[in-house]
């Protein structure tokens, strides 16, 4: 043995090395690999947003793919075909891969609501521009170079000379001075500059949110549509202004003003843009609020699926459409200055309506067969346009009060309607009463600028609250599916945590 001492290290190095698994039973080996695989994936899931913030990322596409990867890899590991390290690397690669999420980020919602507030402001300021007759002071459309006002006396004189060539100056303001021109010029310039700000503050963040995958794929398409609508709105604005700069575009014998049709189209596009921003922002926030507690969210949406609430939801949708149509009829009133006649309420002259011969005057017809008598009087006759607006306004107010009475008297509505929706109905009633008071006051006091501007803002406030009410009773099917997935994933996570928790002996 002493002679073999120096050669022992050499023999040890040449001897075969036996794996520890050789002396471990197959069942224990599978259990060890299974536990190692679960431990590796538990570390991966602990780094995912699902366990950190169930409010904002509980149902992201990343988690869905990672959970599928976990299940398939776990099966492979049990059969001995995959190692925990390989599974962890594959999960990390899946996490790094970019994709559209199932729920848009909360930042997108706040940005959409801020954009809607900006559109709200420009609508009100646009009404002030029209009321002060400042809209025709800039006679050119320069989307880029027009961002700067005249910088010196020579530039001001050039702009003033262009305005002096317009019909408005020649027929209405022949004695206007340069200082008076500057005041109306700045009103229109601020309005156009605000429009550029709305476009840039929407398009640039929208591109960023889509590029960084902060929005869902449907939301990305909606943002593209809103961005296109904003650009089209700028074109409609200039198309409207152009109608007041040429003699052949406004009615003979009337003072220069923009076409009431184009004014209505301009206001209608702004309302649609505002509605899209507001509705989508509210929808994102509602999804996050429901996903914060999947069980409570599922319970709430299940109650909203009751068929008895379908009538209420449809009524809210019809009410939103009615408010929109009433606001557009108000744009026709503004475009025709129809608020300066019949300044009394509820009567119009000797009765509730003017004589039929005045409402359907043949002078507004342009066809020999008088086939356009009805619709031209409805859109061009100031007397009938004001009557239409009164009728629509009172119909809207009556519908709102009927909806309020239905929610207060119906036992079904008392039982099924969520508390937030009941508060929303009260808000709609309050804004409707305010809007009616502003409308009547504007008419009685011969359309003063502060009241007229407040009345226009009131229509947008009323539409806003109807949309808020609609967002509280609508049943989002996409969010409902995500809630089911989130509740199932949370249940699985809790079960796994309980199964691997240390047991006390």
């Amino acid at each position: 043995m002493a002679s073999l001492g120096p050669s022992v290290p050499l023999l040890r190095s040449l001897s075969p090395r036996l794996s520890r698994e050789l002396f471990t039973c197959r069942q224990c080996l599978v259990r060890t690999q299974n536990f190692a695989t679960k431990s590796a994936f538990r570390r991966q899931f602990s780094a995912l947003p699902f366990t950190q913030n169930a409010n904002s990322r509980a149902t992201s596409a990343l988690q869905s793919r990672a959970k599928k990867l976990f299940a398939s890899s776990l099966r492979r590991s049990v059969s001995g075909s995959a190692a925990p390290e390989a599974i962890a690397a594959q999960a990390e690669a899946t996490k790094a891969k970019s994709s559209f999420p199932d729920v848009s980020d909360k930042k997108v919602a706040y940005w959409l609501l801020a954009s809607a507030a900006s559109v709200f402001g420009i609508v009100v300021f646009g009404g002030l521009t029209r009321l002060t007759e400042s809209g025709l002071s800039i006679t050119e459309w320069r989307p880029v170079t027009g961002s700067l006002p005249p910088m010196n006396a020579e530039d001001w004189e050039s702009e003033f000379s262009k305005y002096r060539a317009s019909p408005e100056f020649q027929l209405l303001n022949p004695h206007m001075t340069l200082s008076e021109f500057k005041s109306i010029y700045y009103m229109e310039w601020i309005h156009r500059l605000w429009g550029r700000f709305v476009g840039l503050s929407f398009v640039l963040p929208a591109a960023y949110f889509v590029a960084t995958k902060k929005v869902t794929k449907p939301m990305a398409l909606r943002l593209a549509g809103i961005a296109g609508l904003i650009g089209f709105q700028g074109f409609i604005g200039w198309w409207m202004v152009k109608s007041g700069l040429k003699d052949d575009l406004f009615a003979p014998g009337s003072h220069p003003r923009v076409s009431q049709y184009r004014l209505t189209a301009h206001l209608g596009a702004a309302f649609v843009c505002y509605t899209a921003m507001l509705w989508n922002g509210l929808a994102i926030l509602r999804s996050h609020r429901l996903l914060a507690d999947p069980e409570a969210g599922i319970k709430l949406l299940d109650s909203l699926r009751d068929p008895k609430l379908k009538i209420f939801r449809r009524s809210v949708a019809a009410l939103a459409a009615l408010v929109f149509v009433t606001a557009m009829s108000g744009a026709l009133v503004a475009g025709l200055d129809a608020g300066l006649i019949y300044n009394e309420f509820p009567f119009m002259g000797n009765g509730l309506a003017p004589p039929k011969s005045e409402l359907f005057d043949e002078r507004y017809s342009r066809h020999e067969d008088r086939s356009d008598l009805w619709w031209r009087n409805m859109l061009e006759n100031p007397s009938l346009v004001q009557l239409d607006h009164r009728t629509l306004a009172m119909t809207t107010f009556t519908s709102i009060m009927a909806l309020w009475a239905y929610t207060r008297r119906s036992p079904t509505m008392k039982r099924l309607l969520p508390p937030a929706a009941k508060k929303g109905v009260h808000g709609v009633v309050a804004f409707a009463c305010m809007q009616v008071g502003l409308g009547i006051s504007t008419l009685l006091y011969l359309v003063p600028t502060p009241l007229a501007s407040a009345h226009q803002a009131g229509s947008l406030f009323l539409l806003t609250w109807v949309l808020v009410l609609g967002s509280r009773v609508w049943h989002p099917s996409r969010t409902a599916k995500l809630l089911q997935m989130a509740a199932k994933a949370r249940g699985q996570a809790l079960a796994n945590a309980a199964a691997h928790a240390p047991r006390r002996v």
Side-chain angles (χ1 to χ4, degrees):
M1 292 298 293
S3 62
L4 293 177
S7 61
V8 169
L10 179 61
L11 292 175
R12 184 179 299 170
S13 64
L14 295 177
S15 63
R17 296 183 178 272
L18 299 179
S19 174
R20 184 177 61 181
E21 284 78 2
L22 182 64
F23 302 98
T24 307
C25 67
R26 183 64 178 174
Q27 183 177 3
C28 296
L29 179 61
V30 170
R31 187 182 297 110
T32 302
Q33 291 180 349
N34 192 357
F35 180 76
T37 302
K38 289 183 177 181
S39 300
F41 266 86
R42 193 175 296 113
R43 290 193 297 270
Q44 296 297 324
F45 278 111
S46 64
L48 291 176
F50 175 75
T51 57
Q52 295 176 3
N53 187 0
N55 183 24
S56 62
R57 302 178 185 272
T59 57
S60 67
L62 173 62
Q63 297 156 11
S64 177
R65 287 194 300 274
K67 283 185 287 187
K68 292 180 181 178
L69 177 62
F70 171 71
S72 61
S73 300
L74 182 59
R75 287 192 296 269
R76 290 197 301 271
S77 66
V78 171
S79 62
S81 61
E85 293 78 10
I87 297 172
Q90 189 175 1
E92 187 68 25
T94 303
K95 178 181 177 181
K97 185 178 179 181
S98 61
S99 61
F100 286 102
D102 286 339
V103 180
S104 299
D105 196 280
K106 267 189 175 182
K107 296 178 183 177
V108 180
Y110 296 136
W111 161 71
L112 281 171
L113 295 180
S115 299
S118 184
V119 173
F120 188 103
I122 196 175
V123 169
V124 176
F125 192 83
L128 286 173
T129 303
R130 183 193 59 80
L131 290 168
T132 56
E133 296 184 349
S134 305
L136 301 177
S137 58
I138 302 179
T139 58
E140 294 178 335
W141 188 38
R142 294 172 294 175
V144 179
T145 59
S147 300
L148 296 176
M151 306 302 294
N152 50 51
E154 183 180 354
D155 293 341
W156 276 113
E157 187 59 36
S158 175
E159 292 295 326
F160 193 31
S161 64
K162 296 174 185 177
Y163 178 71
R164 287 198 297 265
S166 67
E168 183 177 73
F169 177 86
Q170 297 173 0
L171 298 177
L172 293 180
N173 303 318
H175 305 292
M176 178 176 284
T177 63
L178 180 60
S179 61
E180 294 172 338
F181 170 72
K182 288 182 179 181
S183 63
I184 64 172
Y185 184 95
Y186 274 121
M187 285 286 293
E188 176 64 12
W189 176 77
I190 293 174
H191 181 61
R192 296 193 184 189
L193 186 66
W194 199 335
R196 293 180 177 93
F197 171 77
V198 169
L200 291 177
S201 64
F202 187 88
V203 172
L204 296 181
Y208 168 77
F209 287 132
V210 173
T212 56
K213 303 298 189 296
K214 298 291 185 181
V215 297
T216 62
K217 191 172 182 179
M219 183 60 65
L221 298 177
R222 294 174 193 173
L223 295 182
I226 297 174
L229 181 60
I230 292 175
F232 184 62
Q233 173 73 343
F235 169 76
I236 294 178
W238 168 246
W239 181 60
M240 175 191 68
V241 171
K242 188 178 179 181
S243 66
L245 298 176
K246 294 185 178 181
D247 296 337
D248 58 342
L249 293 181
F250 51 86
S254 63
H255 67 79
R257 60 171 173 244
V258 299
S259 167
Q260 74 273 18
Y261 298 112
R262 302 186 187 187
L263 174 65
T264 304
H266 187 52
L267 184 64
F271 269 54
V272 171
C273 187
Y274 172 80
T275 299
M277 293 176 178
L278 179 66
W279 181 265
N280 286 290
L282 293 175
I284 294 174
L285 291 180
R286 189 187 187 206
S287 296
H288 281 278
R289 188 165 53 252
L290 292 172
L291 289 169
D293 189 350
E295 287 78 10
I298 292 174
K299 184 178 179 181
L300 175 61
L301 292 188
D302 286 343
S303 65
L304 291 178
R305 293 182 62 183
D306 194 297
K308 296 179 181 179
L309 282 178
K310 185 179 296 186
I311 297 177
F312 184 84
R313 279 195 295 270
R314 291 180 177 178
S315 299
V316 174
L319 183 60
L322 186 58
V323 172
F324 179 84
V325 172
T326 304
M328 295 305 102
S329 71
L332 290 175
V333 172
L336 294 171
D337 290 332
L340 298 176
I341 61 175
Y342 292 113
N343 300 102
E344 52 191 343
F345 188 86
F347 297 102
M348 297 182 69
N350 295 326
L352 295 176
K356 184 178 179 180
S357 58
E358 180 182 347
L359 294 177
F360 298 97
D361 195 335
E362 295 183 356
R363 291 179 301 172
Y364 293 96
S365 177
R366 300 181 185 178
H367 296 167
E368 294 182 359
D369 59 355
R370 300 291 187 261
S371 59
D372 59 343
L373 179 66
W374 283 79
W375 70 266
R376 284 202 178 275
N377 274 275
M378 291 184 66
L379 300 177
E380 299 179 4
N381 185 344
S383 299
L384 185 54
V385 166
Q386 188 191 126
L387 178 62
D388 291 340
H389 185 59
R390 289 188 182 206
T391 304
L392 285 170
M394 297 312 299
T395 302
T396 302
F397 180 76
T398 304
S399 301
I400 291 173
M401 299 308 296
L403 185 66
W404 174 76
Y406 178 57
T407 59
R408 295 280 293 178
R409 299 295 181 182
S410 172
T412 303
M413 290 297 103
K414 289 182 180 180
R415 178 173 53 88
L416 295 178
L417 206 61
K422 295 178 181 178
K423 295 179 181 179
V425 173
H426 294 159
V428 171
V429 172
F431 279 109
C433 294
M434 179 193 71
Q435 180 67 350
V436 169
L438 286 172
I440 295 175
S441 301
T442 302
L443 186 67
L444 296 179
Y445 289 97
L446 300 177
V447 196
T449 298
L451 282 177
S453 180
H455 184 53
Q456 182 175 356
S459 65
L460 208 49
F461 271 120
L462 180 58
L463 179 61
T464 299
W465 209 251
V466 173
L467 293 174
V468 170
L469 173 60
S471 70
R472 293 177 178 179
V473 297
W474 222 252
H475 183 273
S477 57
R478 181 183 176 88
T479 303
K481 294 179 181 178
L482 296 178
L483 281 171
Q484 296 288 345
M485 294 171 58
K488 185 177 180 181
R490 178 176 290 185
Q492 292 177 350
L494 293 176
N496 291 336
H500 296 93
R503 298 180 179 178
R504 297 180 178 180
V505 179

